């Protein structure tokens, strides 16, 4: 009998760029629908991450300092229980600094 239970996985990232990459991995490698993936601040502060990335980092005069770099970003999704180990590795490869599942 197949195990069709699901688990909520959460991963925390320092940059929005890394969080976006993780979402792409979840969608393209594991077939998770985008509306089933949630991205939010890991704290109660509005944030674009805790480090400059993407356009903020590649600004002509160096890293921009007007982005709300107030904390980390959390990506969460429900995944099939038999995908936990593979998704953990994928999120780590995308730059997750913390990963948990329940």
């Amino acid at each position: 009998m197949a195990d069709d239970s699901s688990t909520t996985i959460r991963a925390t990232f320092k940059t929005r760029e890394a969080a976006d990459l993780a979402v792409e991995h979840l969608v393209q490698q594991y077939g998770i629908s985008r509306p089933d993936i949630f991205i939010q601040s890991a704290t109660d502060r509005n944030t674009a991450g805790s480090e400059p990335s993407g356009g903020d980092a590649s600004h002509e005069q160096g890293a921009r300092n007007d982005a709300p770099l107030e904390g980390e970003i959390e990506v969460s999704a429900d995944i099939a229980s038999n995908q936990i180990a593979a998704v953990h590795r994928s999120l780590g490869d995308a730059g997750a600094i913390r990963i948990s599942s329940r």
Side-chain angles (χ1 to χ4, degrees):
M1 178 179 233
D3 179 10
D4 56 349
S5 62
S6 67
T7 298
T8 300
I9 194 159
R10 287 182 166 71
T12 306
F13 298 88
K14 288 185 178 183
T15 67
R16 178 61 190 230
E17 182 178 32
D20 288 342
L21 179 60
V23 169
E24 290 305 313
H25 285 201
L26 294 174
V27 170
Q28 294 177 16
Q29 295 176 348
Y30 301 100
I32 300 171
S33 178
R34 286 182 196 277
D36 295 331
I37 302 171
F38 301 93
I39 303 172
Q40 64 184 20
S41 173
T43 67
D44 60 352
R45 307 282 309 256
N46 183 29
T47 186
S50 58
E51 295 179 1
S53 67
D56 292 335
S58 62
H59 194 263
E60 289 177 6
Q61 285 80 33
R64 291 179 58 171
N65 59 9
D66 60 341
L69 299 175
E70 305 285 335
E72 297 159 347
I73 298 170
E74 180 183 270
V75 173
S76 62
D78 290 338
I79 62 168
S81 293
N82 63 354
Q83 293 180 315
I84 293 172
V87 170
H88 268 254
R89 280 190 304 276
S90 180
L91 293 170
D93 291 346
I97 55 173
R98 283 186 300 283
I99 304 169
S100 64
S101 54
R102 61 173 177 94

